Amino acid sequence: MLELYHSGNTTCSKQVRQHLNEKGVPYTSRYIELWRHENLSPEYLKLNPVGVVPTLVHDGVPIINSFCIMEYIEDVFPQRPLRPADPIARAKQRLWSWLADDVHPSVANATYNQQMRARHSKLDRASVEDIARRIPAPERRERFQRTAGDGFSAAEIEAAWARIDYVLGRFDASLAPGPWTCGEFYSIADVAMLAIVARVHELRPDHLARFPRVASWRARSFDRPMVQKVYALDTEETPRRPQAVSASA
Ligand SMILES: N[C@@H](CCC(=O)N[C@@H](CS)C(=O)NCC(=O)O)C(=O)O
């Protein structure tokens, strides 16, 4: 049995949802509401000690980290491969899958500051202390405390965007052959980077104009029916406990 613990509008959940759907691998959806801090419940922390989504549970065994989860899915479910066989192409696929994870903290800082602060700053002091105490990872605890307080400074947010832009600039150059990250082969690098690029576009709608190849790659990605389907599940209007998404649904 395959269970995916995930949340609606989170980049890393989208990566794994899209990956499973691209491969046509059915799974049972276990929905975690981040804004209710369900990711910090003792039960969930047993599955994912970092207290983040997503977590894939395969026959009772939890697999964590979206980058590692996608590699695992390719290892275990051979149908419709999204990892190229050629070692050079595979190295490029791994690089961009990994860089999506590597740049994620900068994207998360920008997102928390812009989208989550409104909610966090309404919490009373006792709740902030209680939630912070339950967050295992120090950098995540700090991010929560900052956004429940005065937020990040303008300089810190600009530093986050400088890091994002550095990665997007490299991605733009690497897309030169196109149409996908590994040429004609659509891979998990495209899945991983799309979640990041889609979030950048959501936060700063004009931003991708600086990266024309990334902008057209994003548009091409959204032409894929599977992307439209998976990304439609990304708002707070998402039902609290959505039905499992499967390729046949
Ligand atoms: N890609 C990493 C990062 C996961 C991550 O940061 N997930 C975010 C959503 S995209 C999360 O659960 N945030 C909750 C929190 O930091 O409290 C992983 O899969 O472990």
Side-chain angles (χ1 to χ4, degrees), residues 88-89 91-100 165-185 187 189-190 193-194 197 210-217 220:
I88 294 175
K92 188 172 184 188
Q93 167 260 307
R94 285 222 174 94
L95 174 69
W96 286 104
S97 304
W98 172 75
L99 274 168
D165 284 357
Y166 170 64
V167 172
L168 288 181
R170 286 174 61 191
F171 191 46
D172 198 75
S174 91
L175 283 170
W180 305 114
T181 310
C182 299
E184 296 294 331
F185 191 93
S187 75
D190 298 293
M193 281 303 292
L194 183 60
V197 168
R210 303 176 193 192
F211 308 100
R213 285 192 204 96
V214 177
S216 50
W217 167 88
R220 207 156 41 244

Side-chain angles (χ1 to χ4, degrees), residues 10-12 34 39 51-54 65-66 101 104 112 140 143:
T10 74
T11 52
C12 308
L34 291 184
N39 54 316
V52 296
V53 287
N65 181 281
S66 54
D101 211 30
H104 178 263
Y112 267 64
R140 290 174 185 279
R143 181 189 295 144

Side-chain angles (χ1 to χ4, degrees), residues 17 21 31 60 69 82 114 117 143 148 161 186 232 239 241-242:
R17 281 203 301 260
N21 277 274
Y31 204 68
I69 292 171
L82 271 84
Q114 198 166 317
R117 232 186 107 203
R143 181 189 295 144
W161 278 100
Y186 189 81
R241 303 278 174 202

